[in-house]
Amino acid sequence: MTQTHFSTDNLARFYINGAWVPPASDRRFPVLNPATEQKIGEIRLADIKDVNAAVTAAKSAFESFSMTGKEERLELLERFLEVCRRRAEDLACAMSMEMGAPMTMSREEQAASGIGHLESFIEALRAQEEREDLGNGDTLLREPIGVCGLITPWNWPINQIALKVVPALATGCTCVLKPSEHTPVSAMIYAEMIHEAGYPKGVFNLIQGDGAGAGSIMSSHPDIRMISFTGSTRAGIAITRNAADTVKRVTLELGGKSPNLVFADCDIEERVAASVRECMLNTGQSCDAPTRLLVERSIYDRALAVAKETAEAIALGDPAEEGDHLGPLFDKLQYDRVQAMIEAGLAEGAQLLTGGAGKPHGFETGWYVKPTIFADVSNDMRIAREEIFGPVLVILPFEDEAEAVRLANDTPYGLAAYIQTGDPARAERVARALQAGAIHINGGAFNFGSPFGGYKQSGNGREGGKHGLEDYQEIKTLHHA
Ligand code: NAD
């Protein structure tokens, strides 16, 4: 059982202008542990006064922080990295408690991502030329864009926060972070770590709040120059509309319904089993999860048998425990959404291979869901088109490569795609034909420093590494006489 060693005293405060301050707003929101359904704390939902205070601090800090040299910013990032390494266990415990990631995964993937992104941004900043000779007599300057509003989701809380806060600080921007109202504890610790690293006051500010309130106010705020958002396509559209009047830069990392193409020439047992486990990781709450398994007809029945056996071997358990089990969904809200999608799959006539509606036996408390697989799905069913964001896999057969590519691209999304094949020439050909920001070939994993982002309605912009830095920069050209 995990012991928490951190205080939650700052949970009901905001971090503005270098200090933990009482919010102006008295709108309260409970923080719940999804495994126990017990309240673990309470936040205030920021109102316009709180947002303005945070933006004013960031605007004033921008005057001097935007003028700092790269060496000074690198030194601050190195100090921050030291603190991140020291407090990684606190972050892992916080996320396990607030969104239900099992401890081992919370430590090795959720908390570790904060360090991995930070290390790769430090390398990218070191390598970047902020002043570049264009070779035609002109000089290019890369400059921080200004005050950034950063809005993040609950599913990979620190991963998303690091992908936004670190490049903002690395490039000399100042920022206001509004994490998901469902995962405020890890964000509170992140702010404490930035404070400890010694950032000048006002450079980083944290407010807690919801989308309709603080999120909307930030999106239309005249003193915020850029919004970086990760979350649902619905909210991404609302933010873009809200940001239009002030012509802000808006970068969006949105949803996905990523196809996974399984060809007959792959190692079927190994690749199908790994594909099922990857879909279910984080209880299916990953934007780039391979949720649509497209299987070549000649191996379809074999693939179904492996998929069913793999899903049925997945254990569920308490997120506070170590192990490779799955935890609950993050909230009742998500449990209800996932149940509704399982019901939709049944109503549309898909074949339920395993799992199904209702709570798994022995898990009546907590927002647990049965790992579920539907077979014989057609690509026009809701379960094939909409993001479910739970441990639910849909399987569709295809006849040949051309049909596989057509089905894979027949989606409004384009975040990731997966290919399983023993033929490298096919892997390359299919990868080029797929409309997605990341193609994983035979289990190839994401590496820190590589760009992450989507085609089509999965968003715009790329996070991570050198591309992630560029999102936060303006380009200025000097024409010399
Ligand atoms: P969500 O869109 O409801 O909320 C995300 C964040 O946006 C929260 O901080 C929320 O308070 C805020 N928000 C909500 N409505 C808003 C509005 N109108 N204006 C401003 N802010 C608003 O999404 P969620 O349920 O928290 O997260 C799950 C979604 O995030 C999924 O769709 C998933 O695919 C997506 N996601 C995408 C990526 C990616 O990199 N592409 C990564 C993780 C999650």
Side-chain angles (χ1 to χ4, degrees):
M1 195 56 115
T2 311
Q3 299 291 322
T4 51
H5 297 292
F6 56 85
S7 149
T8 51
D9 288 355
N10 288 328
L11 201 53
R13 302 179 185 136
F14 297 159
Y15 181 73
I16 298 178
N17 211 21
W20 288 97
V21 297
S25 163
D26 195 36
R27 271 178 68 214
R28 289 156 194 257
F29 190 81
V31 188
L32 306 172
N33 178 328
T36 61
E37 302 175 35
Q38 298 297 309
K39 185 166 154 181
I40 53 177
E42 194 174 66
I43 55 167
R44 303 289 186 281
L45 298 174
D47 64 15
I48 191 156
K49 281 201 200 113
D50 296 306
V51 177
N52 283 342
V55 175
T56 302
K59 189 179 174 188
S60 150
F62 185 73
E63 285 176 27
S64 53
F65 195 63
S66 59
M67 294 298 161
T68 52
K70 187 159 109 171
E71 285 313 313
E72 198 178 326
R73 279 176 275 129
L74 279 167
E75 216 171 283
L76 281 165
L77 289 173
E78 294 283 4
R79 283 221 295 273
F80 183 40
L81 179 59
E82 273 172 42
V83 185
C84 284
R85 288 192 176 126
R86 188 155 32 77
R87 292 203 66 187
E89 189 66 8
D90 288 346
L91 283 178
C93 292
M95 288 184 280
S96 177
M97 233 166 63
E98 68 189 354
M99 54 74 67
M103 248 341 267
T104 310
M105 185 265 181
S106 195
R107 181 184 298 126
E108 292 175 5
E109 304 206 37
Q110 295 272 13
S113 67
I115 294 171
H117 290 308
L118 177 50
E119 287 169 339
S120 67
F121 276 124
I122 289 174
E123 259 176 58
L125 180 62
R126 233 181 234 126
Q128 192 189 57
E129 284 186 63
E130 291 185 337
R131 183 185 182 94
E132 195 182 326
D133 177 359
L134 290 179
N136 60 356
D138 290 347
T139 306
L140 178 150
L141 302 182
R142 291 192 171 83
E143 299 188 336
I145 187 168
V147 175
C148 301
L150 313 175
I151 303 179
T152 54
W154 47 263
N155 61 333
W156 284 86
I158 286 301
N159 181 65
Q160 302 309 141
I161 286 176
L163 279 169
K164 298 185 191 311
V165 171
V166 179
L169 301 181
T171 52
C173 293
T174 59
C175 60
V176 176
L177 168 66
K178 189 210 80 61
S180 168
E181 57 274 36
H182 301 286
T183 48
V185 187
S186 52
M188 172 201 81
I189 295 172
Y190 205 77
E192 290 173 355
M193 298 192 311
I194 290 176
H195 181 81
E196 194 183 337
Y199 274 89
K201 62 182 191 176
V203 166
F204 168 87
N205 304 275
L206 170 75
I207 54 172
Q208 308 283 4
D210 59 6
S216 303
I217 299 166
M218 286 167 73
S219 314
S220 58
H221 203 292
D223 289 331
I224 291 184
R225 285 303 322 134
M226 163 175 171
I227 292 278
S228 176
F229 170 75
T230 297
S232 60
T233 301
R234 170 201 62 76
I237 294 167
I239 287 169
T240 308
R241 286 210 176 100
N242 261 335
D245 285 343
T246 48
V247 197
K248 296 181 175 37
R249 182 178 298 174
V250 177
T251 60
L252 303 171
E253 301 290 350
L254 307 175
K257 191 77 191 177
S258 299
N260 185 355
L261 288 63
V262 182
F263 291 96
D265 58 9
C266 76
D267 179 342
I268 297 156
E269 270 69 23
E270 199 258 333
R271 290 288 83 226
V272 171
S275 295
V276 171
R277 285 194 293 268
E278 185 147 11
C279 172
M280 307 288 174
L281 179 76
N282 207 29
T283 318
Q285 303 166 112
S286 298
C287 49
D288 61 345
T291 49
R292 272 191 307 145
L293 195 74
L294 313 180
V295 179
E296 192 160 356
R297 177 78 72 186
S298 59
I299 54 156
Y300 188 66
D301 291 343
R302 220 162 114 206
L304 293 194
V306 176
K308 179 173 157 64
E309 190 187 329
T310 309
E312 288 174 358
I314 291 174
L316 305 178
D318 183 350
E321 303 282 350
E322 309 282 342
D324 64 358
H325 52 279
L326 296 185
L329 293 170
F330 89 98
D331 192 62
K332 178 175 188 309
L333 191 80
Q334 195 64 11
Y335 177 83
D336 290 342
R337 282 184 199 150
V338 171
Q339 294 301 314
M341 289 304 290
I342 293 175
E343 298 291 356
L346 295 171
E348 284 175 307
Q351 182 207 337
L352 183 66
L353 200 61
T354 186
K359 294 220 175 151
H361 181 66
F363 291 92
E364 284 69 28
T365 303
W367 305 115
Y368 290 90
V369 173
K370 299 174 196 161
T372 295
I373 302 183
F374 284 105
D376 300 346
V377 172
S378 74
N379 210 40
D380 55 0
M381 291 181 181
R382 276 186 67 200
I383 53 170
R385 303 208 72 77
E386 296 177 25
E387 192 176 42
I388 300 176
F389 235 54
V392 182
L393 176 68
V394 303
I395 309 186
L396 299 77
F398 67 80
E399 300 302 332
D400 56 18
E401 189 178 304
E403 190 187 16
V405 169
R406 185 183 61 70
L407 284 170
N409 286 336
D410 179 15
T411 166
Y413 294 113
L415 191 53
Y418 298 72
I419 304 172
Q420 322 299 335
T421 177
D423 175 356
R426 188 209 292 271
E428 179 74 21
R429 189 170 62 235
V430 172
R432 293 177 75 95
L434 294 174
Q435 297 153 358
I439 314 288
H440 299 265
I441 301 167
N442 294 324
F446 172 82
N447 290 307
F448 295 117
S450 291
F452 185 90
Y455 280 36
K456 301 196 281 185
Q457 290 186 25
S458 287
N460 57 53
R462 291 293 179 269
E463 296 198 297
K466 71 174 184 174
H467 300 91
L469 291 180
E470 286 166 3
D471 271 2
Y472 290 78
Q473 291 171 319
E474 281 286 14
I475 289 200
K476 184 181 277 173
T477 316
L478 307 186
H479 306 283
H480 309 279

